[in-house]
Amino acid sequence: MSETSYLNAISEKTEQEIVYNHYNDFDSDGKCEMFAIVGRIMDEDTVTGEIWFVNQQGVYKVEESKNYWRYPQVYLFGNDMFIAFEEYYTTGSLTFLWGVKEEKPFQPSLTSKANGFEINKYNEIVITNSAYDGARIIPKNWKVLPDDEKWIIHTYNQYYYYWDGENFREYGALEIDDEDLLEIEGTEELLDYIISEGATINEIFYRENKIIQINYQKEVQEGNDIVTYFKFISFRYEGKKIVLEDCVIGEGNILKALNTSLAVYPKEFNVK
């Protein structure tokens, strides 16, 4: 069926306006499908509405009304295509992924897990976790009461994924030690920097996409409070050397895996 036929099929089911649609062969079976947002335009960047799906078998409303960025991104992984609807908030967004399997719309396991969904220059999937984990404040006279502990500093930190042909998988981390880290040229200077800051290393993580992350913390007294600041250094390496353009210092605490049910962990540390 044509794109026009699909649009007409939606219009027969609802009186609301079709504010966005994407017509394509999502599952590479030679037959096109359509995902659409049905609702109203809020401004030039945002819409509010329901998500509808159309194929040769029928017309279905698959998601209740939410606020979305107006123009979803479409991604192709091998023979599988996914559309990413971004529900927006004041401080970020939540990604709802949709694809087609066996002629039916479906949401892969990565959907609604974090802020944003994008592809980086290494052809990796990157999603961002929003958290308040940059610093912990505890009153000096803390009595081990949970309500006395306060977390501040809003962080947005990235985690890396890939499509294995069936599911989205996360590059989980293996914890390594200083000796392992020093196999990579330039890391001694990073350790010296952390020590010079008066900080303590918490974990060093290695991921199979050649990402290494060092979590560290520094405790200071500010007035009557003890404040612990959490930071990390993240870098990518090639040929046992740090890629300087991919070396960053960030706030917050990097996890071994953001979504443990999707993570695949390295069996050993293997610098190549």
Side-chain angles (χ1 to χ4, degrees):
M1 295 176 65
S2 68
E3 182 175 3
T4 301
S5 298
Y6 282 172
L7 291 170
N8 289 338
I10 295 174
S11 296
E12 290 174 3
K13 294 285 187 178
T14 177
E15 295 182 356
Q16 297 186 82
E17 181 184 0
I18 300 171
V19 296
Y20 170 86
N21 75 89
H22 188 83
Y23 175 81
N24 218 317
D25 183 2
F26 280 81
D27 55 355
S28 299
D29 66 351
K31 295 177 285 189
C32 285
E33 301 87 14
M34 176 183 287
F35 284 94
I37 301 176
V38 177
R40 58 194 175 94
I41 297 172
M42 303 298 288
D43 55 41
E44 62 181 15
D45 296 318
T46 62
V47 298
T48 185
E50 305 157 344
I51 297 177
W52 287 63
F53 172 79
V54 193
N55 64 3
Q56 294 184 16
Q57 281 66 50
V59 184
Y60 316 91
K61 181 175 73 173
V62 296
E63 189 75 68
E64 295 296 335
S65 185
K66 291 182 171 66
N67 297 322
Y68 297 106
W69 295 119
R70 187 172 178 180
Y71 300 107
Q73 296 294 313
V74 177
Y75 301 94
L76 181 63
F77 303 101
N79 293 324
D80 300 295
M81 183 177 293
F82 294 92
I83 186 167
F85 295 94
E86 295 285 340
E87 183 183 13
Y88 69 87
Y89 299 92
T90 302
T91 57
S93 65
L94 192 62
T95 304
F96 291 85
L97 289 169
W98 285 94
V100 178
K101 181 185 291 185
E102 298 177 353
E103 300 185 337
K104 296 179 181 179
F106 84 104
Q107 290 185 289
S109 51
L110 185 56
T111 197
S112 71
K113 297 293 188 185
N115 287 260
F117 184 101
E118 60 184 59
I119 308 297
N120 66 13
K121 64 183 180 182
Y122 297 99
N123 206 33
E124 298 162 343
I125 300 161
V126 181
I127 64 174
T128 302
N129 183 47
S130 168
Y132 283 90
D133 64 351
R136 181 184 63 205
I137 301 175
I138 298 175
K140 189 177 180 181
N141 59 349
W142 191 42
K143 302 297 184 182
V144 198
L145 298 175
D147 289 344
D148 288 342
E149 185 176 281
K150 180 180 180 182
W151 287 85
I152 60 171
I153 303 181
H154 197 176
T155 65
Y156 300 89
N157 291 322
Q158 296 183 333
Y159 293 83
Y160 305 88
Y161 294 75
Y162 60 93
W163 174 249
D164 69 1
E166 292 292 333
N167 294 291
F168 289 101
R169 297 295 184 191
E170 181 177 351
Y171 287 101
L174 173 71
E175 188 167 354
I176 62 174
D177 58 26
D178 294 11
E179 186 176 338
D180 294 323
L181 181 68
L182 291 171
E183 291 185 33
I184 301 171
E185 185 179 328
T187 54
E188 186 174 357
E189 287 84 350
L190 298 181
L191 295 179
D192 288 343
Y193 168 78
I194 293 171
I195 292 170
S196 72
E197 289 288 297
T200 303
I201 293 175
N202 293 329
E203 304 99 3
I204 304 172
F205 290 145
Y206 158 74
R207 303 179 194 273
E208 284 196 333
N209 60 337
K210 297 187 176 182
I211 291 286
I212 290 183
Q213 292 151 322
I214 308 169
N215 283 323
Y216 62 97
Q217 68 179 58
K218 181 179 181 179
E219 186 176 290
V220 298
Q221 185 168 331
E222 297 181 2
N224 292 322
D225 297 330
I226 298 172
V227 183
T228 305
Y229 291 94
F230 294 88
K231 293 188 176 184
F232 66 90
I233 297 175
S234 177
F235 65 88
R236 190 181 296 267
Y237 67 87
E238 290 288 348
K240 294 191 176 183
K241 291 184 178 181
I242 293 175
V243 179
L244 291 177
E245 64 189 60
D246 293 326
C247 184
V248 297
I249 297 175
E251 295 181 309
N253 188 56
I254 297 296
L255 305 174
K256 266 191 174 181
L258 179 61
N259 295 296
T260 55
S261 63
L262 305 180
V264 177
Y265 301 92
K267 292 182 173 59
E268 60 182 357
F269 178 59
N270 187 10
V271 178
K272 296 181 180 179

